Amino acid sequence: MDFLPPIGILTGTVNRVDWRVWTFVLTTLLVVGFDIPKTAIAFEPPSAKLALSLKPIQSNVEIDLPTAEETDACKVEVERLPVGTGWGVYGPQGQPLRRFLDTNADNKIDQWSYYLRGLEVYRDLDTNANDRADQSRWINSGGSRWGIDKNEDGKIDAWKMISAEEVSKVAIEAIIDQDVSLLSTLFVTADECRELGLKKELSDRVLQNVADPSGKLKLILGTSRVLTTSSRWVRFDTSMLMPNLVPADDSKTTKDLVVYENVMAIVENGGKTGFVQMGEFVKVGDVWKMTQFPKPMEGDTLEVTEGGLLMQPSVVSGGVPEPSTVDPAVKGMIDELQQLDNATQASSKGPTPDSVRKRIDLLSKLVRQTSGASQTQWQQQLIDEITAAIQTGNYPDGLVQLAAIEKQITAADPDSELIPYILYRRLSAEYNERLRNPSMNNEQRQELQEWWLKQLQSYATTYTQVPDAADAMYQLAMTQEFVGKTKEAQSWYQKILIDHKNSVPAQRAIGALRRMSLVNNPINISYPTLQGKPFGMAAMKGRVVLVLFWSTWCQPCAEDLPQLKELYRTYGPKGFEIVGINLDSDRSLVEPFLKQQQIPWLQLFEEGGLDSKPATDYGVISLPTMFLVDKSGVVISNTSSVEELKEKLPELLK
């Protein structure tokens, strides 16, 4: 039996799916070493060039595309999983570029993963084992989309998950590409109207809004100057800071609805900004859907219909809301802002003090020119821009301006939700600016820390429920832990979980509490190695283990290295092992450092640095962090040190 690929692979004539099916199944069988008929041709593992020529099934996915010179330095390595196997492509610095995996050990590739700057951003999946991808996922910095391709023709037929922001982006791209089938997946369906509990009259009106997408698309493309083949989606915008809840109502719906009332998409076309009224969005499970057909806003007078069918009072018997207008001056300022951002992105120097000042001036004008929720959004952007500029040293007058804005907001509305928002950023900016003072002595630093703790505590107790309170509480907990006040630290960590259980600091708080309670308990660390292989603590059974969180930029870590290497050389043969967990944000820095320092022990790594899963799982707040684990797998110290190792290893290894 001759095991040959179709001629299309050699000529480049086969489609993407067929290419994957033949190339990956064949090479996986040979590379991994499954049983193959003896008469099969002995193919070599696929080259990096061939692997990197394969692209995601879905378009508009930003992935790493090495140059020809970089491709020659890439490597293809076998990937072994707890169940299944496959192979991966790694760049010149060891960064992952692609992974093609058989995740269920049926000798067929069923997952095709693509990376951008070391993070997986997209994957195609074959979930029914028929050698053709039927699902596509955008993940991490690539987004939060999960599309289903029911007939496996390379086109999304339905969504398992998609955010409101991405609905607006995909809709604009579908209109520009004249892709009616993709655009149709974003509109609410009759089945979904029933699932949402919409009353028949309301359901009929919603479905009428989204009927005949093909005809409406042709009309737009034939008349619009805002949406053309050269247009580009820039951002999602809405008059609401967050989606609203429409409660069950006898006249509308039998179920609560989560709704964005008036969504806009901002697009860029030849350096000019345009607006597309997307209308009302409703959430169906993990999927956001449109209840209206997008409408480009043409000309200088831009009509915006406030509200949609779902949020209109007495919607079944009421009339159509009156249109309002978008100020052409606002559009002009957004154009300027977009042009400034484009110029900054194109410059190798990045933001300069001059470009930062221009951006702040434009945002200030937009705040003055707008009102209501739109004004609030621009105010938040202005506050964030000034805060960032202060921290980078690009805006010396920033603190004075933040204080002036805070005073102005408070005078206009003492109950404004922006008051705690700007207060926290002003305090943080002031703390960081004072901390940078090179002439500060130890006593002044201590005074500054005490001042900062008082500000944090006052903020966290005054504004307990605002989102920034979670970060303030976390900083308080960390500081208390640093100075040895364990009970106080645990109290703040627990308060985060009570008041802000769904926040990012809550995940870190869970990790910190887990770390603080490790002593006398078993630990089961399970992260990939630096080479991407799976690892579990079961592999260390019967050995004394030091779990070491570290990074290449950590000076105390470097200072401990000579003594750790000596302890490893002395006690390694007697049953001592070290498991390093690297927390660098750039994987490419790690391997050269290990070689230069001749570090012999195992290294685990996950993308994200101090925000990675290992760091979050154990609430790591300083480096190095060391856990000492005895032969039975029980942690005997969660704050170990080199000196403690010198003292305890001889006894533990008896």
Side-chain angles (χ1 to χ4, degrees):
M1 173 176 108
D2 290 338
F3 219 46
L4 291 170
I7 191 66
I9 287 183
L10 304 178
T11 63
T13 59
V14 348
N15 66 46
R16 286 175 175 168
V17 178
D18 290 338
W19 188 319
R20 286 201 183 93
V21 170
W22 283 92
T23 306
F24 293 163
V25 171
L26 176 62
T27 52
T28 302
L29 290 173
L30 291 159
V31 172
V32 178
F34 290 127
D35 292 333
I36 302 173
K38 292 181 180 179
T39 55
I41 303 298
F43 288 98
E44 291 296 320
S47 66
K49 183 177 180 180
L50 174 60
L52 291 169
S53 70
L54 303 174
K55 302 294 189 297
I57 289 180
Q58 303 304 322
S59 60
N60 297 329
V61 180
E62 185 183 1
I63 59 174
D64 283 324
L65 296 171
T67 63
E69 183 179 350
E70 291 169 336
T71 298
D72 291 339
C74 292
K75 295 180 180 179
V76 178
E77 297 182 2
V78 175
E79 302 282 330
R80 299 193 183 276
L81 310 175
V83 176
T85 186
W87 44 270
V89 186
Y90 293 88
Q93 286 78 43
Q95 73 275 25
L97 300 173
R98 311 282 190 272
R99 291 183 85 200
F100 307 111
L101 306 175
D102 165 22
T103 63
N104 58 3
D106 66 350
N107 297 357
K108 297 178 181 180
I109 293 295
D110 53 43
Q111 179 175 305
W112 299 265
S113 298
Y114 299 85
Y115 289 73
L116 178 66
R117 293 185 286 275
L119 270 180
E120 184 184 3
V121 292
Y122 174 88
R123 66 174 63 163
D124 286 316
L125 301 163
D126 171 16
T127 65
N128 56 10
N130 70 344
D131 299 335
R132 301 179 75 87
D134 55 84
Q135 296 187 12
S136 298
R137 295 191 67 180
W138 289 255
I139 52 181
N140 291 315
S141 59
S144 57
R145 275 179 273 172
W146 190 338
I148 309 298
D149 179 4
K150 297 177 182 178
N151 57 1
E152 300 172 344
D153 64 351
K155 296 182 178 180
I156 298 297
D157 301 308
W159 298 97
K160 190 171 181 178
M161 174 190 298
I162 186 168
S163 67
E165 293 85 350
E166 288 169 294
V167 167
S168 74
K169 183 176 190 291
V170 174
I172 295 300
E173 291 173 350
I175 292 172
I176 293 168
D177 295 338
Q178 302 182 47
D179 191 338
V180 178
S181 61
L182 178 59
L183 183 62
S184 297
T185 66
L186 305 171
F187 294 125
V188 68
T189 65
D191 286 343
E192 288 167 338
C193 285
R194 284 191 288 271
E195 182 182 341
L196 292 169
L198 301 189
K199 296 299 178 71
K200 185 178 184 307
E201 188 174 351
L202 175 58
S203 174
D204 289 345
R205 294 181 66 187
V206 168
L207 294 174
Q208 185 179 0
N209 277 349
V210 297
D212 188 23
S214 179
K216 291 173 180 173
L217 179 58
K218 288 178 183 177
L219 182 63
I220 285 176
L221 294 174
T223 59
S224 178
R225 290 180 296 170
V226 172
L227 286 180
T228 69
T229 54
S230 60
S231 298
R232 180 177 62 89
W233 180 90
V234 175
R235 76 174 217 184
F236 168 94
D237 200 5
T238 175
S239 59
M240 306 160 64
L241 291 178
M242 59 190 71
N244 283 350
L245 181 71
V246 179
D249 185 303
D250 288 341
S251 65
K252 294 181 183 179
T253 171
T254 60
K255 297 180 181 179
D256 291 349
L257 305 178
V258 181
V259 175
Y260 271 115
E261 182 181 16
N262 188 26
V263 174
M264 286 280 195
I266 298 178
V267 298
E268 185 264 339
N269 191 340
K272 294 184 178 180
T273 300
F275 296 83
V276 180
Q277 185 176 343
M278 308 299 292
E280 193 171 57
F281 284 16
V282 63
K283 194 174 186 184
V284 186
D286 291 327
V287 176
W288 282 90
K289 286 296 188 82
M290 298 190 292
T291 65
Q292 296 166 247
F293 201 90
K295 179 184 177 183
M297 302 172 68
E298 310 286 349
D300 294 330
T301 302
L302 308 175
E303 291 189 351
V304 182
T305 300
E306 294 295 340
L309 291 173
L310 302 181
M311 289 189 65
Q312 285 184 28
S314 304
V315 63
V316 174
S317 58
V320 177
E322 292 296 321
S324 59
T325 60
V326 171
D327 189 343
V330 171
K331 182 179 180 299
M333 283 181 259
I334 295 177
D335 279 341
E336 283 189 67
L337 200 60
Q338 186 63 48
Q339 291 167 6
L340 180 61
D341 289 347
N342 290 342
T344 301
Q345 291 171 8
S347 171
S348 59
K349 298 178 181 178
T352 63
D354 184 54
S355 68
V356 167
R357 188 172 292 278
K358 286 180 180 177
R359 200 171 197 282
I360 289 172
D361 288 345
L362 277 170
L363 289 170
S364 299
K365 290 177 182 177
L366 281 164
V367 170
R368 293 193 294 271
Q369 196 73 28
T370 53
S371 60
S374 181
Q375 183 185 59
T376 301
Q377 286 184 313
W378 289 118
Q379 283 176 314
Q380 286 181 323
Q381 283 202 37
L382 174 62
I383 292 163
D384 289 341
E385 183 74 22
I386 296 173
T387 304
I390 294 170
Q391 292 172 344
T392 57
N394 279 329
Y395 199 53
D397 302 330
L399 276 176
V400 174
Q401 189 168 352
L402 278 181
I405 294 172
E406 183 181 357
K407 184 178 180 180
Q408 184 180 22
I409 291 171
T410 305
D413 179 7
D415 298 321
S416 170
E417 61 188 16
L418 281 173
I419 293 173
Y421 188 87
I422 190 172
L423 173 62
Y424 191 65
R425 282 149 185 79
R426 178 178 62 78
L427 291 172
S428 299
E430 182 176 351
Y431 172 67
N432 285 308
E433 186 167 272
R434 290 171 62 181
L435 197 60
R436 287 200 302 267
N437 183 359
S439 63
M440 190 183 303
N441 57 37
N442 289 336
E443 183 179 345
Q444 290 170 324
R445 285 184 181 276
Q446 180 63 32
E447 290 175 357
L448 177 59
Q449 290 298 331
E450 290 174 0
W451 172 84
W452 179 230
L453 280 177
K454 287 180 181 178
Q455 306 310 311
L456 288 172
Q457 189 155 354
S458 173
Y459 186 90
T461 51
T462 303
Y463 302 105
T464 303
Q465 300 302 320
V466 303
D468 288 322
D471 187 69
M473 293 175 189
Y474 185 72
Q475 293 206 42
L476 278 166
M478 283 195 302
T479 305
Q480 300 288 20
E481 195 178 346
F482 270 128
V483 298
K485 296 182 178 180
T486 306
K487 288 184 179 180
E488 290 87 342
Q490 288 176 325
S491 176
W492 281 113
Y493 285 135
Q494 288 162 353
K495 186 166 177 55
I496 297 172
L497 300 183
I498 294 169
D499 294 336
H500 301 276
K501 62 181 180 180
N502 295 321
S503 66
V504 172
Q507 299 307 308
R508 292 186 170 279
I510 291 170
L513 291 169
R514 179 185 293 120
R515 169 175 46 77
M516 296 171 78
S517 61
L518 276 176
V519 176
N520 297 325
N521 288 302
I523 186 171
N524 184 24
I525 284 174
S526 179
Y527 305 116
T529 67
L530 188 60
Q531 293 74 34
K533 315 299 182 186
F535 168 83
M537 282 293 283
M540 297 293 164
K541 187 176 181 180
R543 301 179 71 83
V544 174
V545 181
L546 178 72
V547 178
L548 169 63
F549 292 85
W550 70 285
S551 73
T552 60
W553 47 261
C554 167
Q555 185 60 34
C557 300
E559 292 169 357
D560 282 347
L561 261 181
Q563 296 183 80
L564 285 176
K565 286 195 286 187
E566 181 61 26
L567 288 169
Y568 190 72
R569 185 190 66 79
T570 302
Y571 294 107
K574 300 177 182 180
F576 174 55
E577 192 55 74
I578 300 177
V579 175
I581 302 180
N582 177 267
L583 298 184
D584 276 271
S585 56
D586 186 350
R587 181 196 293 262
S588 66
L589 301 174
V590 185
E591 194 69 44
F593 184 89
L594 295 174
K595 290 179 180 178
Q596 180 188 33
Q597 298 295 328
Q598 298 182 344
I599 299 174
W601 49 81
L602 177 72
Q603 298 294 333
L604 309 182
F605 181 88
E606 285 209 17
E607 300 290 345
L610 291 172
D611 294 321
S612 65
K613 189 174 187 300
T616 303
D617 283 349
Y618 291 95
V620 175
I621 60 175
S622 64
L623 298 179
T625 289
M626 305 184 196
F627 307 152
L628 186 57
V629 185
D630 68 15
K631 291 181 181 181
S632 66
V634 171
V635 177
I636 61 173
S637 174
N638 59 359
T639 57
S640 194
S641 64
V642 170
E643 295 306 315
E644 184 180 45
L645 290 174
K646 291 178 181 178
E647 177 186 340
K648 291 188 175 180
L649 282 179
E651 182 66 27
L652 290 170
L653 292 167
K654 274 186 180 180

